[in-house]
PDB file of all heavy atoms in Angstrom:
ATOM      1  N   VAL A   2       0.873  -1.162   0.000  1.00 83.00           N
ATOM      2  CA  VAL A   2       0.000   0.000   0.000  1.00 83.00           C
ATOM      3  C   VAL A   2       0.910   1.212   0.000  1.00 83.00           C
ATOM      4  O   VAL A   2       1.797   1.331   0.841  1.00 83.00           O
ATOM      5  CB  VAL A   2      -0.907   0.014   1.252  1.00 83.00           C
ATOM      6  CG1 VAL A   2      -1.733   1.278   1.303  1.00 83.00           C
ATOM      7  CG2 VAL A   2      -1.773  -1.221   1.293  1.00 83.00           C
ATOM      8  N   MET A   3       0.695   2.095  -0.935  1.00 73.00           N
ATOM      9  CA  MET A   3       1.524   3.290  -1.009  1.00 73.00           C
ATOM     10  C   MET A   3       1.004   4.305   0.004  1.00 73.00           C
ATOM     11  O   MET A   3      -0.141   4.720  -0.067  1.00 73.00           O
ATOM     12  CB  MET A   3       1.493   3.895  -2.413  1.00 73.00           C
ATOM     13  CG  MET A   3       1.933   2.904  -3.482  1.00 73.00           C
ATOM     14  SD  MET A   3       3.487   2.082  -3.128  1.00 73.00           S
ATOM     15  CE  MET A   3       4.617   3.343  -3.598  1.00 73.00           C
ATOM     16  N   GLU A   4       1.830   4.634   0.974  1.00 63.00           N
ATOM     17  CA  GLU A   4       1.462   5.600   2.016  1.00 63.00           C
ATOM     18  C   GLU A   4       2.635   6.533   2.219  1.00 63.00           C
ATOM     19  O   GLU A   4       3.777   6.111   2.254  1.00 63.00           O
ATOM     20  CB  GLU A   4       1.144   4.870   3.321  1.00 63.00           C
ATOM     21  CG  GLU A   4       0.781   5.818   4.435  1.00 63.00           C
ATOM     22  CD  GLU A   4       0.468   5.081   5.717  1.00 63.00           C
ATOM     23  OE1 GLU A   4      -0.668   4.657   5.883  1.00 63.00           O
ATOM     24  OE2 GLU A   4       1.377   4.956   6.538  1.00 63.00           O
ATOM     25  N   GLU A   5       2.340   7.779   2.355  1.00 54.00           N
ATOM     26  CA  GLU A   5       3.394   8.773   2.540  1.00 54.00           C
ATOM     27  C   GLU A   5       4.049   8.587   3.908  1.00 54.00           C
ATOM     28  O   GLU A   5       3.380   8.471   4.925  1.00 54.00           O
ATOM     29  CB  GLU A   5       2.794  10.179   2.443  1.00 54.00           C
ATOM     30  CG  GLU A   5       3.833  11.267   2.439  1.00 54.00           C
ATOM     31  CD  GLU A   5       3.209  12.626   2.213  1.00 54.00           C
ATOM     32  OE1 GLU A   5       2.189  12.701   1.528  1.00 54.00           O
ATOM     33  OE2 GLU A   5       3.765  13.594   2.740  1.00 54.00           O
ATOM     34  N   LYS A   6       5.370   8.551   3.885  1.00 59.00           N
ATOM     35  CA  LYS A   6       6.123   8.442   5.128  1.00 59.00           C
ATOM     36  C   LYS A   6       6.332   9.820   5.724  1.00 59.00           C
ATOM     37  O   LYS A   6       6.296  10.829   5.028  1.00 59.00           O
ATOM     38  CB  LYS A   6       7.485   7.790   4.868  1.00 59.00           C
ATOM     39  CG  LYS A   6       7.403   6.342   4.445  1.00 59.00           C
ATOM     40  CD  LYS A   6       8.787   5.780   4.282  1.00 59.00           C
ATOM     41  CE  LYS A   6       8.747   4.338   3.832  1.00 59.00           C
ATOM     42  NZ  LYS A   6      10.084   3.768   3.717  1.00 59.00           N
ATOM     43  N   GLU A   7       6.577   9.860   7.027  1.00 59.00           N
ATOM     44  CA  GLU A   7       6.873  11.127   7.703  1.00 59.00           C
ATOM     45  C   GLU A   7       8.275  11.593   7.298  1.00 59.00           C
ATOM     46  O   GLU A   7       9.114  10.808   6.892  1.00 59.00           O
ATOM     47  CB  GLU A   7       6.807  10.943   9.225  1.00 59.00           C
ATOM     48  CG  GLU A   7       5.431  10.568   9.731  1.00 59.00           C
ATOM     49  CD  GLU A   7       4.433  11.699   9.636  1.00 59.00           C
ATOM     50  OE1 GLU A   7       4.847  12.875   9.744  1.00 59.00           O
ATOM     51  OE2 GLU A   7       3.246  11.405   9.451  1.00 59.00           O
ATOM     52  N   SER A   8       8.532  12.846   7.470  1.00 55.00           N
ATOM     53  CA  SER A   8       9.797  13.431   7.025  1.00 55.00           C
ATOM     54  C   SER A   8      10.979  13.035   7.894  1.00 55.00           C
ATOM     55  O   SER A   8      12.116  13.161   7.478  1.00 55.00           O
ATOM     56  CB  SER A   8       9.678  14.952   7.018  1.00 55.00           C
ATOM     57  OG  SER A   8       9.523  15.424   8.339  1.00 55.00           O
ATOM     58  N   GLY A   9      10.754  12.587   9.110  1.00 50.00           N
ATOM     59  CA  GLY A   9      11.854  12.240   9.996  1.00 50.00           C
ATOM     60  C   GLY A   9      12.337  13.425  10.815  1.00 50.00           C
ATOM     61  O   GLY A   9      13.310  13.325  11.534  1.00 50.00           O
ATOM     62  N   LYS A  10      11.692  14.576  10.693  1.00 66.00           N
ATOM     63  CA  LYS A  10      12.096  15.769  11.437  1.00 66.00           C
ATOM     64  C   LYS A  10      11.710  15.664  12.904  1.00 66.00           C
ATOM     65  O   LYS A  10      12.259  16.350  13.740  1.00 66.00           O
ATOM     66  CB  LYS A  10      11.460  17.017  10.822  1.00 66.00           C
ATOM     67  CG  LYS A  10      11.970  17.296   9.426  1.00 66.00           C
ATOM     68  CD  LYS A  10      11.270  18.481   8.815  1.00 66.00           C
ATOM     69  CE  LYS A  10      11.706  18.663   7.375  1.00 66.00           C
ATOM     70  NZ  LYS A  10      10.919  19.669   6.682  1.00 66.00           N
ATOM     71  N   ASN A  11      10.756  14.812  13.213  1.00 73.00           N
ATOM     72  CA  ASN A  11      10.323  14.652  14.603  1.00 73.00           C
ATOM     73  C   ASN A  11      11.413  13.948  15.400  1.00 73.00           C
ATOM     74  O   ASN A  11      12.137  13.112  14.879  1.00 73.00           O
ATOM     75  CB  ASN A  11       9.042  13.826  14.670  1.00 73.00           C
ATOM     76  CG  ASN A  11       7.896  14.481  13.938  1.00 73.00           C
ATOM     77  OD1 ASN A  11       7.952  15.651  13.602  1.00 73.00           O
ATOM     78  ND2 ASN A  11       6.856  13.720  13.678  1.00 73.00           N
ATOM     79  N   THR A  12      11.503  14.278  16.676  1.00 87.00           N
ATOM     80  CA  THR A  12      12.461  13.598  17.538  1.00 87.00           C
ATOM     81  C   THR A  12      11.780  12.570  18.439  1.00 87.00           C
ATOM     82  O   THR A  12      12.450  11.703  18.984  1.00 87.00           O
ATOM     83  CB  THR A  12      13.248  14.609  18.396  1.00 87.00           C
ATOM     84  OG1 THR A  12      12.320  15.402  19.132  1.00 87.00           O
ATOM     85  CG2 THR A  12      14.118  15.495  17.530  1.00 87.00           C
ATOM     86  N   PHE A  13      10.447  12.679  18.574  1.00 87.00           N
ATOM     87  CA  PHE A  13       9.681  11.728  19.380  1.00 87.00           C
ATOM     88  C   PHE A  13       8.377  11.405  18.675  1.00 87.00           C
ATOM     89  O   PHE A  13       7.887  12.192  17.866  1.00 87.00           O
ATOM     90  CB  PHE A  13       9.383  12.302  20.772  1.00 87.00           C
ATOM     91  CG  PHE A  13      10.602  12.474  21.614  1.00 87.00           C
ATOM     92  CD1 PHE A  13      11.260  13.692  21.669  1.00 87.00           C
ATOM     93  CD2 PHE A  13      11.108  11.412  22.352  1.00 87.00           C
ATOM     94  CE1 PHE A  13      12.401  13.857  22.430  1.00 87.00           C
ATOM     95  CE2 PHE A  13      12.253  11.569  23.124  1.00 87.00           C
ATOM     96  CZ  PHE A  13      12.892  12.795  23.163  1.00 87.00           C
ATOM     97  N   HIS A  14       7.829  10.249  18.998  1.00 89.00           N
ATOM     98  CA  HIS A  14       6.535   9.833  18.462  1.00 89.00           C
ATOM     99  C   HIS A  14       5.741   9.232  19.615  1.00 89.00           C
ATOM    100  O   HIS A  14       6.272   8.453  20.396  1.00 89.00           O
ATOM    101  CB  HIS A  14       6.728   8.781  17.356  1.00 89.00           C
ATOM    102  CG  HIS A  14       5.456   8.153  16.902  1.00 89.00           C
ATOM    103  ND1 HIS A  14       4.628   8.749  15.974  1.00 89.00           N
ATOM    104  CD2 HIS A  14       4.854   6.991  17.259  1.00 89.00           C
ATOM    105  CE1 HIS A  14       3.576   7.968  15.767  1.00 89.00           C
ATOM    106  NE2 HIS A  14       3.696   6.901  16.534  1.00 89.00           N
ATOM    107  N   THR A  15       4.471   9.580  19.718  1.00 90.00           N
ATOM    108  CA  THR A  15       3.598   8.990  20.727  1.00 90.00           C
ATOM    109  C   THR A  15       2.845   7.833  20.095  1.00 90.00           C
ATOM    110  O   THR A  15       2.132   8.019  19.100  1.00 90.00           O
ATOM    111  CB  THR A  15       2.612  10.038  21.279  1.00 90.00           C
ATOM    112  OG1 THR A  15       3.372  11.134  21.820  1.00 90.00           O
ATOM    113  CG2 THR A  15       1.743   9.440  22.374  1.00 90.00           C
ATOM    114  N   ALA A  16       3.034   6.647  20.639  1.00 90.00           N
ATOM    115  CA  ALA A  16       2.449   5.432  20.065  1.00 90.00           C
ATOM    116  C   ALA A  16       0.932   5.462  20.119  1.00 90.00           C
ATOM    117  O   ALA A  16       0.337   5.859  21.121  1.00 90.00           O
ATOM    118  CB  ALA A  16       2.971   4.205  20.795  1.00 90.00           C
ATOM    119  N   ARG A  17       0.336   5.025  19.022  1.00 90.00           N
ATOM    120  CA  ARG A  17      -1.113   4.891  18.939  1.00 90.00           C
ATOM    121  C   ARG A  17      -1.491   3.453  19.258  1.00 90.00           C
ATOM    122  O   ARG A  17      -0.660   2.554  19.246  1.00 90.00           O
ATOM    123  CB  ARG A  17      -1.592   5.253  17.529  1.00 90.00           C
ATOM    124  CG  ARG A  17      -1.327   6.702  17.187  1.00 90.00           C
ATOM    125  CD  ARG A  17      -1.881   7.043  15.820  1.00 90.00           C
ATOM    126  NE  ARG A  17      -1.432   8.353  15.429  1.00 90.00           N
ATOM    127  CZ  ARG A  17      -0.506   8.593  14.506  1.00 90.00           C
ATOM    128  NH1 ARG A  17       0.038   7.603  13.858  1.00 90.00           N
ATOM    129  NH2 ARG A  17      -0.152   9.822  14.227  1.00 90.00           N
ATOM    130  N   ASP A  18      -2.763   3.237  19.501  1.00 90.00           N
ATOM    131  CA  ASP A  18      -3.261   1.901  19.806  1.00 90.00           C
ATOM    132  C   ASP A  18      -2.909   0.945  18.671  1.00 90.00           C
ATOM    133  O   ASP A  18      -3.170   1.224  17.503  1.00 90.00           O
ATOM    134  CB  ASP A  18      -4.782   1.942  19.995  1.00 90.00           C
ATOM    135  CG  ASP A  18      -5.345   0.594  20.399  1.00 90.00           C
ATOM    136  OD1 ASP A  18      -4.675  -0.135  21.157  1.00 90.00           O
ATOM    137  OD2 ASP A  18      -6.457   0.265  19.945  1.00 90.00           O
ATOM    138  N   GLY A  19      -2.288  -0.169  18.992  1.00 88.00           N
ATOM    139  CA  GLY A  19      -1.963  -1.198  18.009  1.00 88.00           C
ATOM    140  C   GLY A  19      -0.640  -1.001  17.290  1.00 88.00           C
ATOM    141  O   GLY A  19      -0.215  -1.876  16.547  1.00 88.00           O
ATOM    142  N   GLU A  20       0.023   0.129  17.484  1.00 91.00           N
ATOM    143  CA  GLU A  20       1.318   0.355  16.830  1.00 91.00           C
ATOM    144  C   GLU A  20       2.411  -0.433  17.534  1.00 91.00           C
ATOM    145  O   GLU A  20       2.342  -0.695  18.728  1.00 91.00           O
ATOM    146  CB  GLU A  20       1.706   1.835  16.881  1.00 91.00           C
ATOM    147  CG  GLU A  20       1.187   2.663  15.776  1.00 91.00           C
ATOM    148  CD  GLU A  20       1.768   4.065  15.774  1.00 91.00           C
ATOM    149  OE1 GLU A  20       1.965   4.660  16.859  1.00 91.00           O
ATOM    150  OE2 GLU A  20       1.998   4.568  14.679  1.00 91.00           O
ATOM    151  N   ASN A  21       3.450  -0.777  16.777  1.00 91.00           N
ATOM    152  CA  ASN A  21       4.630  -1.388  17.367  1.00 91.00           C
ATOM    153  C   ASN A  21       5.860  -0.699  16.770  1.00 91.00           C
ATOM    154  O   ASN A  21       5.732   0.205  15.943  1.00 91.00           O
ATOM    155  CB  ASN A  21       4.637  -2.907  17.149  1.00 91.00           C
ATOM    156  CG  ASN A  21       4.610  -3.273  15.684  1.00 91.00           C
ATOM    157  OD1 ASN A  21       5.359  -2.734  14.880  1.00 91.00           O
ATOM    158  ND2 ASN A  21       3.736  -4.201  15.326  1.00 91.00           N
ATOM    159  N   LEU A  22       7.049  -1.112  17.185  1.00 92.00           N
ATOM    160  CA  LEU A  22       8.253  -0.431  16.707  1.00 92.00           C
ATOM    161  C   LEU A  22       8.462  -0.603  15.209  1.00 92.00           C
ATOM    162  O   LEU A  22       9.028   0.272  14.553  1.00 92.00           O
ATOM    163  CB  LEU A  22       9.496  -0.896  17.471  1.00 92.00           C
ATOM    164  CG  LEU A  22       9.638  -0.384  18.906  1.00 92.00           C
ATOM    165  CD1 LEU A  22      10.995  -0.765  19.481  1.00 92.00           C
ATOM    166  CD2 LEU A  22       9.433   1.116  18.998  1.00 92.00           C
ATOM    167  N   TRP A  23       8.005  -1.714  14.626  1.00 89.00           N
ATOM    168  CA  TRP A  23       8.148  -1.889  13.181  1.00 89.00           C
ATOM    169  C   TRP A  23       7.293  -0.863  12.436  1.00 89.00           C
ATOM    170  O   TRP A  23       7.731  -0.300  11.439  1.00 89.00           O
ATOM    171  CB  TRP A  23       7.796  -3.307  12.738  1.00 89.00           C
ATOM    172  CG  TRP A  23       8.909  -4.268  13.008  1.00 89.00           C
ATOM    173  CD1 TRP A  23      10.052  -4.431  12.279  1.00 89.00           C
ATOM    174  CD2 TRP A  23       9.010  -5.174  14.094  1.00 89.00           C
ATOM    175  NE1 TRP A  23      10.851  -5.384  12.853  1.00 89.00           N
ATOM    176  CE2 TRP A  23      10.240  -5.867  13.966  1.00 89.00           C
ATOM    177  CE3 TRP A  23       8.183  -5.480  15.179  1.00 89.00           C
ATOM    178  CZ2 TRP A  23      10.654  -6.839  14.855  1.00 89.00           C
ATOM    179  CZ3 TRP A  23       8.592  -6.453  16.062  1.00 89.00           C
ATOM    180  CH2 TRP A  23       9.812  -7.118  15.904  1.00 89.00           C
ATOM    181  N   ASP A  24       6.081  -0.619  12.921  1.00 89.00           N
ATOM    182  CA  ASP A  24       5.225   0.396  12.302  1.00 89.00           C
ATOM    183  C   ASP A  24       5.904   1.763  12.342  1.00 89.00           C
ATOM    184  O   ASP A  24       5.928   2.494  11.348  1.00 89.00           O
ATOM    185  CB  ASP A  24       3.877   0.498  13.030  1.00 89.00           C
ATOM    186  CG  ASP A  24       3.066  -0.777  12.981  1.00 89.00           C
ATOM    187  OD1 ASP A  24       3.087  -1.457  11.941  1.00 89.00           O
ATOM    188  OD2 ASP A  24       2.405  -1.085  13.986  1.00 89.00           O
ATOM    189  N   ILE A  25       6.439   2.097  13.500  1.00 91.00           N
ATOM    190  CA  ILE A  25       7.073   3.403  13.698  1.00 91.00           C
ATOM    191  C   ILE A  25       8.359   3.501  12.878  1.00 91.00           C
ATOM    192  O   ILE A  25       8.636   4.531  12.260  1.00 91.00           O
ATOM    193  CB  ILE A  25       7.310   3.653  15.200  1.00 91.00           C
ATOM    194  CG1 ILE A  25       5.951   3.680  15.933  1.00 91.00           C
ATOM    195  CG2 ILE A  25       8.099   4.933  15.435  1.00 91.00           C
ATOM    196  CD1 ILE A  25       6.030   3.539  17.428  1.00 91.00           C
ATOM    197  N   SER A  26       9.114   2.418  12.827  1.00 90.00           N
ATOM    198  CA  SER A  26      10.327   2.364  12.011  1.00 90.00           C
ATOM    199  C   SER A  26      10.008   2.664  10.557  1.00 90.00           C
ATOM    200  O   SER A  26      10.687   3.466   9.903  1.00 90.00           O
ATOM    201  CB  SER A  26      10.954   0.970  12.143  1.00 90.00           C
ATOM    202  OG  SER A  26      11.943   0.765  11.166  1.00 90.00           O
TER     203      SER A  26
END
């Protein structure tokens, strides 16, 4: 599925329900 990735400018991310480190990676 083509989905736009974040720019990487953030230094922190707050996990959403069901997310894991692979999703965030």
Side-chain angles (χ1 to χ4, degrees):
V2 176
M3 303 310 281
E4 179 180 275
E5 188 175 329
K6 293 183 181 182
E7 296 290 329
S8 66
K10 294 177 185 172
N11 299 346
T12 56
F13 293 95
H14 171 82
T15 302
R17 296 183 189 107
D18 183 36
E20 273 188 322
N21 59 47
L22 286 188
W23 281 282
D24 298 323
I25 298 164
S26 167

